[in-house]
Amino acid sequence: MSYFVVNENCNGCLACVENCPANALRFKDTDENRTILHNMAKCVRCANCWRVCPQQAIEFQHFLENEWDEVKSLDLVHCRVCGEPIYTTDLEKTLTGKTGSEIDALCPKHRELDFAARQALVPFRRAA
Amino acid sequence: MIVADLKPVGEIAESISPFQKVSIVACGGCVSVCLTGGASSADTLARELSHPRHYKERPPILATTTIQRQCEKDFVTAYLNLPRDTDAILSMACGAGVQTLAEIFGKVPILPALNTSFLGSLDEPGVWREKCQGCGSCVLAFTGGICPVTRCAKHLLNGPCGGSSNGKCEISKDVDCAWQLIIDRLKALGRLDDYEKIFPIKDWSSDRGGGPRSMQFSSKKT
């Protein structure tokens, strides 16, 4: 997905490139083409490009509202009583390693039940 | 945002002239946004500072780099990489960034390239105006969103002084009387009752008079 969206009004004048305080914009001229390049890692989202563009070609709203990127997917552990997702299997491993003891898979609500009451409940099958 | 201004080039050149290899460190925070301390400004400054006319002897060798926020010690420690033989750093950050570098690089002189000016807003392209003094006890809820601590030359909290004339402050015909702005705004909001409220004597201990301030995040506040 792109954050720096330039519409068809752009005429390649380079006002945005020349006025970017973060050096986040460049251009590349080949034989017959001019390409505008944007580097999100350098961009400070100051909106100066949007401000100076004489063509109103920069659609800055994509910096302000955009889609979520999926950055990681992890398996979950569920409360053995009610099935509510509580933490990831990787976090469980980390905590088990640090504490040296097994963690009972219970959500905050069911953790509060006393031991005897918990024993009486039918264990919930762990989700695959 | 924090607004800063570039020091005169002669002053910067004088400060770096005793050194052989100087790293210019730009900041990707407020000073980039106010067009004085970002990567582009660092490149422009480096070009200017490399000119021999600024020095009695040879100009220092200059390198430029940028770190997104120069005022975060752990972040800068982890991600700011400088040439190993750097013998001085020219920081293009605000005063907080300069001092952060000074804490991290104990044996390298840190020189400021900017004069940190104020907390302000961009009122129109290329024009920043001071709006906040960070006094530590905000009164904007009662003053129509206009700060008398910052925008009244006398920091008055209970209406204008006798120097207010035709909406202007006595210090300059170009300076609006903050209390005129406040009254006009309260009138427009239908909240002139707020003007009748008497502010007690302000506790300035949360301002700079109480020494350097700090803040510790606490989730309990919410």
Side-chain angles (χ1 to χ4, degrees), chain A residues 17-24 40-48 51-52, chain B residues 27-29 31-33 35-41 43 68 122 124-126:
Chain A
V17 175
E18 287 166 5
N19 286 283
C20 174
N23 287 349
M40 194 64 207
K42 290 177 182 288
C43 179
V44 296
R45 309 211 300 184
C46 64
N48 213 41
R51 202 167 276 126
V52 301
Chain B
C27 178
V31 293
S32 278
V33 181
L35 312 178
T36 49
S40 175
S41 301
D43 288 346
Q68 281 297 324
L122 180 69
E124 52 192 281

Side-chain angles (χ1 to χ4, degrees), chain B residues 85-155:
Chain B
D85 48 0
T86 293
D87 58 7
I89 296 171
L90 181 63
S91 167
M92 297 195 70
C94 68
V98 173
Q99 292 178 69
T100 302
L101 294 190
E103 284 187 34
I104 294 167
F105 297 96
K107 294 183 178 174
V108 183
I110 315 294
L111 311 163
L114 305 183
N115 289 321
T116 306
S117 305
F118 52 80
L119 291 178
S121 62
L122 180 69
D123 281 355
E124 52 192 281
V127 180
W128 290 264
R129 292 199 180 94
E130 185 170 20
K131 297 291 165 62
C132 178
Q133 290 200 351
C135 72
S137 58
C138 189
V139 298
L140 288 169
F142 311 105
T143 57
I146 294 162
C147 177
V149 176
T150 309
R151 297 169 72 178
C152 168
K154 295 176 180 171
H155 318 306

Side-chain angles (χ1 to χ4, degrees), chain A residues 50-65:
Chain A
W50 166 82
R51 202 167 276 126
V52 301
C53 177
Q55 295 294 107
Q56 298 182 323
I58 294 166
E59 299 189 353
F60 203 79
Q61 69 271 21
H62 298 285
F63 278 105
L64 309 176
E65 288 182 29

Side-chain angles (χ1 to χ4, degrees), chain B residues 53-65:
Chain B
R53 71 169 173 271
H54 295 299
Y55 310 92
K56 287 177 188 158
E57 297 172 15
R58 263 195 335 195
I61 296 166
L62 302 170
T64 60
T65 187

Side-chain angles (χ1 to χ4, degrees), chain A residues 62-75:
Chain A
H62 298 285
F63 278 105
L64 309 176
E65 288 182 29
N66 212 309
E67 301 298 315
W68 292 89
D69 292 325
E70 186 175 304
V71 293
K72 180 81 176 166
S73 181
L74 297 151
D75 292 334

